[in-house]
Amino acid sequence: MDTERLQQQTRFLVRQRLRLMVNQYEVRTEAPDGSEGELAAFAQQKRMAFKEQVTLYADDAKTRPILGFKARRRIDLAATYDVTDAAGQPLGLFRKDFRRSLLSSTWHLEQPGAGVVTGSERNRFVAVLRRVWGLVPYVDALPFAWPYHFDFVSGDRPAFSVEKKFGLRDRYVVDIQDPGLDRRLVIAQAVALDALQSR
């Protein structure tokens, strides 16, 4: 999918593939009947990497990279991730707000010329419950995770939202309200919400 058509999309469906040594994500458009449509991006992340780096491709054979994001530092609780296009040119960045994330995960997304978009978990009760649930021994072995919802705003205007669906594997619906947001940045942030959320 070329950048122009990608920029016209207002909804993406993200699904994690279950693999042993890597996390993989399919990002698709939504078909008219609400099902998964055309592949917009395919992401792969190595598990247990000291310096997080995720590359997104145009296809699941990984023949054509389209963008990626990479942590600036090896270990940083409030890490900043630079997002670049296939040629390595900067598209923007996102970072986790460590202090605010202690109770409710919060991220800041920056696009040059567009200011800062801030996303936080919609429901604080669910945010706290997820943290308590994570303290229960062996809970990571269970085949499901709590759903959560992020609302990203620019000032008081909605920019986009990411909703995690309850189920055996991670699935997300990404709705974009701000027409000026680079869809590549939104896709990178949506993938990061799953790939990096526990860090």
Side-chain angles (χ1 to χ4, degrees):
M1 178 178 296
D2 62 37
T3 305
E4 186 176 338
R5 276 207 309 128
L6 188 71
Q7 194 62 26
Q8 295 170 0
Q9 305 303 314
T10 59
R11 173 172 279 190
F12 294 104
L13 306 176
V14 182
R15 178 167 45 93
Q16 183 183 27
R17 288 183 179 179
L18 300 176
R19 297 293 183 268
L20 187 61
M21 297 305 295
V22 295
N23 289 327
Q24 294 182 336
Y25 302 90
E26 290 182 6
V27 181
R28 295 185 174 273
T29 61
E30 184 180 57
D33 64 358
S35 64
E36 293 181 355
E38 183 180 356
L39 183 68
F42 175 79
Q44 181 166 300
Q45 172 209 30
K46 291 181 181 177
R47 292 185 184 159
M48 311 276 282
F50 286 108
K51 189 171 185 180
E52 293 294 345
Q53 180 172 354
V54 176
T55 302
L56 292 93
Y57 301 88
D59 59 347
D60 61 2
K62 300 181 287 184
T63 59
R64 188 168 63 92
I66 53 175
L67 70 132
F69 59 86
K70 183 177 182 178
R72 288 184 180 174
R73 298 182 185 164
R74 285 181 181 254
I75 298 175
D76 186 358
L77 295 175
T80 296
Y81 297 84
D82 293 301
V83 184
T84 56
D85 66 13
Q89 296 303 307
L91 297 174
L93 61 88
F94 57 84
R95 60 187 165 82
K96 190 168 188 178
D97 189 324
F98 177 71
R99 186 176 55 81
R100 288 177 62 183
S101 293
L102 291 174
L103 290 177
S104 177
S105 295
T106 302
W107 293 81
H108 303 289
L109 177 73
E110 297 182 30
Q111 177 178 320
V116 178
V117 176
T118 300
S120 296
E121 288 182 84
R122 183 181 303 162
N123 188 318
R124 285 192 176 233
F125 174 75
V126 172
V128 172
L129 188 62
R130 282 194 317 106
R131 283 153 178 76
V132 172
W133 182 253
L135 298 174
V136 177
Y138 309 111
V139 75
D140 287 338
L142 296 175
F144 67 90
W146 287 95
Y148 52 78
H149 310 90
F150 279 83
D151 293 313
F152 284 79
V153 297
S154 177
D156 59 352
R157 291 179 294 109
F160 69 99
S161 64
V162 180
E163 297 196 14
K164 182 177 184 179
K165 301 299 185 181
F166 188 83
L168 295 178
R169 57 184 177 177
D170 295 342
R171 295 181 306 115
Y172 301 85
V173 176
V174 181
D175 284 308
I176 305 168
Q177 293 85 28
D178 184 344
L181 266 180
D182 190 324
R183 300 322 194 235
R184 296 169 296 179
L185 277 175
V186 173
I187 289 171
Q189 179 70 82
V191 169
L193 288 177
D194 185 276
L196 309 174
Q197 185 60 25
S198 62
R199 289 162 176 73

